Amino acid sequence: MTEVSVAKEDRAANGELVVLKSVNKHFGALHVLQDIDLTIARGEVVVVIGPSGSGKSTLCRTINRLETIDSGSITIDGKPLPAEGKALARLRADVGMVFQSFNLFAHKTVLENVMLGQIKVRKVDKAKAEEKARKLLDRVGVASQADKYPAQLSGGQQQRVAIARALAMDPKVMLFDEPTSALDPEMINEVLEVMQQLARDGMTMIVVTHEMGFARSAANRVVFMADGRIVEEAVPDQFFSNPRSDRAKDFLSKILHH
Ligand SMILES: Nc1ncnc2c1ncn2[C@@H]1O[C@H](COP(=O)(O)OP(=O)(O)O)[C@@H](O)[C@H]1O
Ligand SMILES: [Mg+2]
């Protein structure tokens, strides 16, 4: 066995699931992701925070290839992201994504929203897909809404359906991009509680959020971004009580004392 293959096995044994190496991305002249190195272990919950425009959403979008990168590499479970076709559809299923806007199919019922991907991408038969969808809707607390259309639900309920829909694909990792930012305050906690439970169940999660309570209680690690770079990473306690960079200190003073 060569040294190279031994090194690869060591990494797999460590349980690295998502690995970004020297990732760069431009939008025209704007260098939106600058030499990003980030490794997420299996079962790890990483909260990404940082000022608006720092590249957090773009980072999420590159991980399921909603955006391409200019240089560097991204692997999931040791495999580079596929560029197109069925392999790309499977990747999008492996990487569940929940956005700020709920992105449900408006003309499908809640139940159909959670069944569709299972049938189309995972080739699950209809009865099995329905059984699983009902279980997941129950798990996120909206089982009684199954036959309604998204517009008939509250924002918090719709976001929980969006989480159930992503989970129905048995994703390897879940990405959340400010999942509670568009919600009325009284609905934020019901969504955060579902995410907390998911974290406790061992799901690998990358969560962009300004909910510092969630970061403190659920995150294994906080990644602070500014101007397209990862400026600082630390365990939550250390990050919140003793941020090292001026950028992080400045950011925290703004969000914690407004
Ligand atoms: N599709 C795009 N085309 C051009 N510029 C973009 C695009 N998407 C994002 N940007 C710019 O890239 C920067 C980072 O955006 P984004 O990743 O959304 O940051 P964040 O999520 O941290 O607020 C911002 O300056 C934004 O205006
Ligand atoms: Mg964003």
Side-chain angles (χ1 to χ4, degrees):
M1 198 182 282
T2 65
E3 276 178 37
V4 173
S5 65
V6 170
K8 263 187 194 153
E9 278 178 11
D10 281 347
R11 282 200 297 274
N14 287 339
E16 294 179 352
L17 183 59
V18 182
V19 180
L20 288 83
K21 280 193 188 138
S22 309
V23 168
N24 282 282
K25 165 84 184 169
H26 296 78
F27 284 121
L30 182 67
H31 196 171
V32 61
L33 295 178
Q34 305 188 26
D35 285 320
I36 299 289
D37 287 308
L38 181 64
T39 298
I40 318 279
R42 222 172 285 279
E44 194 179 15
V45 177
V46 172
V47 162
V48 179
I49 65 172
S52 176
S54 55
K56 306 179 299 295
S57 293
T58 306
L59 178 75
C60 285
R61 292 166 59 81
T62 62
I63 295 173
N64 67 358
R65 222 170 186 285
L66 287 172
E67 297 285 357
T68 57
I69 58 177
D70 300 335
S71 65
S73 68
I74 302 178
T75 57
I76 294 185
D77 236 350
K79 293 188 206 83
L81 301 190
E84 56 188 15
K86 287 196 175 136
L88 180 57
R90 278 197 298 274
L91 167 85
R92 298 244 166 90
D94 283 346
V95 181
M97 182 127 183
V98 175
F99 302 88
Q100 180 174 337
S101 52
F102 322 120
N103 290 64
L104 296 172
F105 302 115
H107 303 292
K108 305 272 181 200
T109 66
V110 162
L111 184 68
E112 288 165 345
N113 264 277
V114 184
M115 288 173 62
L116 212 63
Q118 298 185 66
I119 295 167
K120 292 230 155 126
V121 179
R122 296 298 196 205
K123 310 294 178 200
V124 173
D125 75 51
K126 222 178 143 202
K128 284 238 167 66
E130 175 168 346
E131 192 189 328
K132 186 168 187 174
R134 288 195 187 278
K135 253 189 214 146
L136 284 166
L137 289 172
D138 188 45
R139 183 169 161 195
V140 302
V142 290
S144 60
Q145 314 294 321
D147 298 321
K148 293 190 181 161
Y149 287 87
Q152 296 173 280
L153 272 57
S154 73
Q157 288 172 328
Q158 288 185 58
Q159 197 60 306
R160 286 182 283 151
V161 174
I163 294 172
R165 184 175 62 172
L167 290 177
M169 309 301 274
D170 294 321
K172 292 179 176 168
V173 51
M174 287 281 289
L175 305 180
F176 293 87
D177 188 2
E178 301 205 27
T180 60
S181 298
L183 297 177
D184 291 334
E186 74 272 21
M187 291 169 191
I188 291 175
N189 277 337
E190 65 195 43
V191 172
L192 292 178
E193 273 161 26
V194 168
M195 292 166 62
Q196 287 272 12
Q197 188 57 51
L198 207 51
R200 281 196 290 270
D201 292 345
M203 177 60 75
T204 308
M205 295 164 66
I206 302 173
V207 184
V208 179
T209 185
H210 292 163
E211 293 294 334
M212 297 301 125
F214 176 83
R216 277 180 183 277
S217 60
N220 299 110
R221 183 157 48 122
V222 173
V223 167
F224 175 72
M225 285 185 77
D227 296 334
R229 292 183 185 278
I230 294 178
V231 175
E232 192 164 338
E233 311 184 40
V235 295
D237 265 356
Q238 190 188 331
F239 179 77
F240 290 115
S241 59
N242 195 13
R244 294 186 301 271
S245 63
D246 288 341
R247 290 300 298 267
K249 284 177 195 161
D250 180 53
F251 178 75
L252 284 175
S253 72
K254 280 178 186 143
I255 61 164
L256 297 176
H257 307 295
H258 63 77

